[in-house]
Amino acid sequence: SAMARPLTRAEIIDKMHIVPVFSVINAETKQMCPVAQEDGSFCGCWFVDLADAEEHLAKLKAGHAEMQCTIEVTPLSKAFALSEQWVGTAALSGAGGVPLKLQASKAELARLPGFPPLPESLRRAFNPRTSRMPVWQMDELKGMPLFFHFDDLEAYWMAESGKPKEEMPQDGLDVRDLREVIARATFEPFDWMSK
């Protein structure tokens, strides 16, 4: 079709603007409270799942009762652009000088124990601190929306179809890494703007 073309970075960011992600910030400095990584380093983190942000906040309050921390909501568009360094370094001031990443829902990753990491060919193109980032989709849903939680896809399908979850078809149900979808949208000619 005449609309089949790859998306620009700005168009990809625009599509992610309505999705909220969550970070824990110091209420006084307005900077992210860093998250310890397995290798002992620290990074600023946006959590896809509010429950994971609340867990991080509870750990911080338990270990540092004097800190005034709170959860901040950020559009996924901004979090992705910053963590992938799609914007200038001046925009990173709220991170307090630490590297940034996105964190998928721990509950969703537990639901998908065999969910693979990005292929090596894509891994080098994205932030190495962000690990697996599953998103669900279903072909029959208009516009093929993406969902970070299977339960959200299920609820959306039931609302759209008027049917109980037991009748939800498995054909056309798929889970992919968000960054794989973004890579496809960046390079593959398709009518992405209607999706």
Side-chain angles (χ1 to χ4, degrees):
S1 100
M3 300 299 290
R5 63 174 179 80
L7 294 180
T8 65
R9 283 185 173 182
E11 289 168 333
I12 289 170
I13 292 301
D14 186 58
K15 285 187 163 285
M16 294 191 285
H17 190 68
I18 63 169
V19 180
V21 291
F22 312 92
S23 61
V24 178
I25 64 164
N26 182 314
E28 294 175 12
T29 66
K30 305 297 184 204
Q31 291 189 335
M32 284 180 148
C33 298
V35 176
Q37 303 301 287
E38 291 179 7
D39 65 2
S41 66
F42 290 87
C43 70
C45 183
W46 282 285
F47 299 92
V48 167
D49 196 328
L50 177 58
D52 294 336
E54 291 171 336
E55 179 185 324
H56 180 51
L57 178 61
K59 285 180 184 176
L60 281 172
K61 287 186 173 182
H64 307 279
E66 75 286 353
M67 281 182 66
Q68 297 297 312
C69 297
T70 189
I71 293 176
E72 180 177 72
V73 180
T74 304
L76 175 59
S77 54
K78 179 178 179 180
F80 187 85
L82 289 170
S83 67
E84 292 297 329
Q85 297 184 354
W86 282 12
V87 293
T89 55
L92 300 175
S93 59
V98 295
L100 301 168
K101 75 170 193 171
L102 289 168
Q103 171 64 55
S105 165
K106 291 179 185 177
E108 207 61 25
L109 289 172
R111 178 195 293 263
L112 297 164
F115 189 72
L118 276 179
E120 185 61 38
S121 59
L122 288 179
R123 239 179 277 166
R124 292 185 301 263
F126 290 99
N127 182 345
R129 289 173 291 281
T130 296
S131 63
R132 301 170 302 153
M133 187 64 54
V135 289
W136 292 90
Q137 68 182 51
M138 179 182 279
D139 291 347
E140 81 169 48
L141 294 176
K142 291 178 184 171
M144 289 175 47
L146 301 174
F147 300 86
F148 284 108
H149 300 88
F150 177 78
D151 294 342
D152 291 341
L153 180 148
E154 189 175 69
Y156 185 85
W157 180 85
M158 288 189 297
E160 288 289 303
S161 69
K163 298 177 183 177
K165 65 181 178 181
E166 294 77 22
E167 294 182 26
M168 189 170 89
Q170 298 303 301
D171 284 350
L173 182 64
D174 192 20
V175 61
R176 302 175 172 267
D177 194 293
L178 173 66
R179 294 154 307 162
E180 183 182 347
V181 175
I182 289 170
R184 283 187 62 215
T186 305
F187 295 105
E188 186 177 306
F190 187 73
D191 186 7
W192 297 104
M193 292 310 286
S194 68
K195 302 300 178 203

